[in-house]
Amino acid sequence: MTAHEYEFLTTENIPDYIASQPELARRIDSSNIVECKEVGDGNLNVVFIVTDGNGESLVLKQSLPYVRMTGEGWPMTPERANREAHALARQYGADPVHTVSLFKHDPDRYVIAMEDLSSYTVWRTALNNGERHEGAARQVGEFVARLAFATSVYGMDRFDYAQAVAETQNPDLCTITEDLVFTEPAFDIGRNEVLPANEPDARALAEDSIFVAAMGQAKFMFMTHAEALIHGDLHTGSVMVRQANQGELASSDVRVFDPEFAFYGPVAFDVGAVFANFTFASARARALGEDERAQWCLDQVHELWEGFEVTFRELWAGRENPTVWDSAHCEWQLGQWLRESTLFASAKMARRIVGAAKVTDIQTLAPAVREHAARAVLRASRACAAGWQDIHASADFTRLVGDELTAIGTSR
Ligand code: SR1
Ligand code: MG
């Protein structure tokens, strides 16, 4: 037991735990568990895949009362499991095809049980391995659009919206984002770390008054723009991909998971997060000398944005109030979100290079090339911070970022 008075899951006690939960005991034979492995690779929680002798399996994810990445020195509310369960249910309602299925939520032990997606690969891993999952970016764009529409005042009754905003407050996890994503890249409190060769780049970022001003704007938007229920941590490690079997058409199955950071926030925060992650994947490819692949990774920005805007326009026909919210408003909103996505992408790029929680796309590069990739991403971040208000098409974003990433090639 901990100060929070709940028992942590272990490979030893999981069979008894499943036996005690009728919704789970129906799905898997707790008396015949043949494999139980801890597979959590995130920064916060423990995750087990449990399999019985009949080949039935499920995933158990438990929130600890602290941040797994650092240990007990960084306490963190386990209530995040409850936030995640709620968000999964809402995301399933908006887009069941792209959401992992929730089997059971146990608010006493802060456990959520979900379908096992072992036949899928974490998208970041797939990208790091050089895989191309065609159509995946478009589907993530569709997912963000469906969630945004269904949970905003465009797609729901305003009283229901007010209640939803109140029910989805997630200040503990939002504070992590406010600190790590918007503040600390420029104002280090001792958690930042870069290669010695990148120290001048990190200093230049922190001394860039345009970047700092942009982060102030981004942080304010994040904390106050309760536009829709957002995933809140939509990086390529929060998406699973699998090659779909659809004849000759290259296509992918896509599932979004891990929405423990979900709250009512700016829609562009989710879009921008994925833009930044395509930037990391592109920088990695460029650093490895795979220039054509680097372009493909960056082109996923267009794919995602097109999936998002096409889907949002389709949903627009069913909006709640078509009087003042006419088609001109829809186009204004999309343009606004594209610009804000660039601003949030800027924040996300910088935090993953200098901040506490990094990404394997960059970290697994040998230091001699990582230095150049990290520098280019920081320059791309600063370019986005300076130019976000002038972005009018996804091509403007890829041009801005692509210009900085090509420098990696010249340094090889
Ligand atoms: C302390 S948690 C660090 C990061 O991990 C999560 O994935 C979020 O991105 C968070 O910022
Ligand atoms: Mg996560």
Side-chain angles (χ1 to χ4, degrees):
M1 295 289 203
T2 71
H4 284 80
E5 296 298 320
Y6 68 99
E7 191 182 359
F8 296 166
L9 293 177
T10 64
T11 51
E12 289 74 35
N13 67 23
I14 278 177
D16 284 346
Y17 178 74
I18 290 174
S20 73
Q21 305 288 322
E23 297 93 331
L24 303 185
R26 269 202 303 275
R27 293 182 178 274
I28 189 167
D29 183 355
S30 63
S31 66
N32 186 22
I33 301 297
V34 294
E35 190 173 50
C36 181
K37 53 181 181 185
E38 209 279 310
V39 296
D41 64 352
N43 297 321
L44 286 156
N45 309 295
V46 288
V47 181
F48 296 87
I49 298 180
V50 193
T51 309
D52 72 10
N54 301 317
E56 300 297 332
S57 60
L58 51 76
V59 167
L60 296 177
K61 174 174 178 179
Q62 186 177 40
S63 296
L64 307 174
Y66 51 84
V67 171
R68 177 184 178 158
M69 178 175 87
T70 52
E72 294 180 43
W74 189 346
M76 187 52 55
T77 174
E79 290 290 330
R80 60 188 187 268
N82 308 339
R83 297 286 92 243
E84 179 164 349
H86 179 278
L88 277 176
R90 201 66 189 90
Q91 290 176 8
Y92 193 85
D95 188 353
V97 171
H98 294 125
T99 303
V100 62
S101 296
L102 176 69
F103 293 160
K104 156 93 187 163
H105 166 220
D106 175 354
D108 300 324
R109 297 273 293 270
Y110 304 103
V111 172
I112 55 177
M114 296 170 283
E115 67 178 312
D116 175 16
L117 294 178
S118 291
S119 60
Y120 290 65
T121 309
V122 174
W123 201 9
R124 187 185 310 288
T125 307
L127 287 164
N128 284 352
N129 291 340
E131 293 172 22
R132 297 186 190 203
H133 287 265
E134 301 292 353
R138 182 173 297 267
Q139 291 183 61
V140 173
E142 291 167 6
F143 167 84
V144 178
R146 288 187 187 128
L147 184 63
F149 186 83
T151 62
S152 69
V153 288
Y154 294 137
M156 71 192 290
D157 171 80
R158 72 99 53 248
F159 286 91
D160 294 342
Y161 161 84
Q163 193 177 341
V165 173
E167 283 172 354
T168 54
Q169 293 296 315
N170 197 358
D172 296 270
L173 270 69
C174 284
T175 301
I176 295 180
T177 303
E178 290 149 23
D179 293 344
L180 267 62
V181 177
F182 299 115
T183 305
E184 291 180 26
F187 296 91
D188 185 15
I189 61 159
R191 289 199 277 235
N192 291 0
E193 197 178 351
V194 289
L195 289 169
N198 288 127
E199 278 168 10
D201 307 304
R203 255 197 314 278
L205 177 87
E207 289 167 3
D208 180 347
S209 59
I210 294 173
F211 174 78
V212 172
M215 291 308 102
Q217 292 170 318
K219 182 170 177 173
F220 184 78
M221 285 180 199
F222 179 83
M223 294 176 74
T224 60
H225 291 197
E227 295 174 343
L229 184 70
I230 65 169
H231 179 285
D233 196 23
L234 190 55
H235 50 78
T236 48
S238 299
V239 179
M240 303 286 269
V241 290
R242 182 175 71 175
Q243 220 61 49
N245 186 14
Q246 290 194 355
E248 299 194 354
L249 280 179
S251 168
S252 308
D253 290 334
V254 172
R255 306 289 277 277
V256 177
F257 67 108
D258 203 20
E260 64 195 313
F261 282 77
F263 78 115
Y264 262 77
V267 169
F269 186 74
D270 279 353
V271 178
V274 197
F275 281 7
N277 278 261
F278 292 146
T279 304
F280 304 138
S282 185
R284 175 186 179 81
R286 192 67 74 178
L288 295 174
E290 301 165 4
D291 291 353
E292 192 265 333
R293 180 175 163 71
Q295 188 56 51
W296 179 87
C297 290
L298 209 48
D299 283 345
Q300 300 315 294
V301 166
H302 305 306
E303 294 285 319
L304 185 145
W305 182 253
E306 206 172 287
F308 175 80
E309 65 173 358
V310 166
T311 305
F312 195 81
R313 284 195 191 103
E314 282 167 11
L315 294 166
W316 192 248
R319 63 198 178 279
E320 282 284 312
N321 184 345
T323 52
V324 288
W325 292 335
D326 55 12
S327 53
H329 178 86
C330 179
E331 295 310 311
W332 167 82
Q333 184 59 275
L334 287 168
Q336 193 75 3
W337 278 339
L338 180 61
R339 283 184 286 282
E340 292 173 8
S341 297
T342 304
L343 174 64
F344 288 124
S346 165
K348 291 283 197 169
M349 288 178 206
R351 64 82 53 115
R352 294 293 189 193
I353 298 298
V354 302
K358 301 204 181 328
V359 286
T360 53
D361 320 44
I362 305 297
Q363 288 306 104
T364 58
L365 292 169
V369 282
R370 194 194 316 160
E371 168 197 341
H372 301 291
R375 180 172 302 123
V377 172
L378 287 182
R379 291 184 64 89
S381 165
R382 292 172 62 191
C384 288
W388 68 276
Q389 299 188 73
D390 301 321
I391 300 293
H392 302 290
S394 57
D396 295 335
F397 175 90
T398 55
R399 204 174 305 114
L400 202 62
V401 169
D403 283 352
E404 301 298 341
L405 298 193
T406 48
I408 302 172
T410 58
S411 62
R412 279 199 309 265

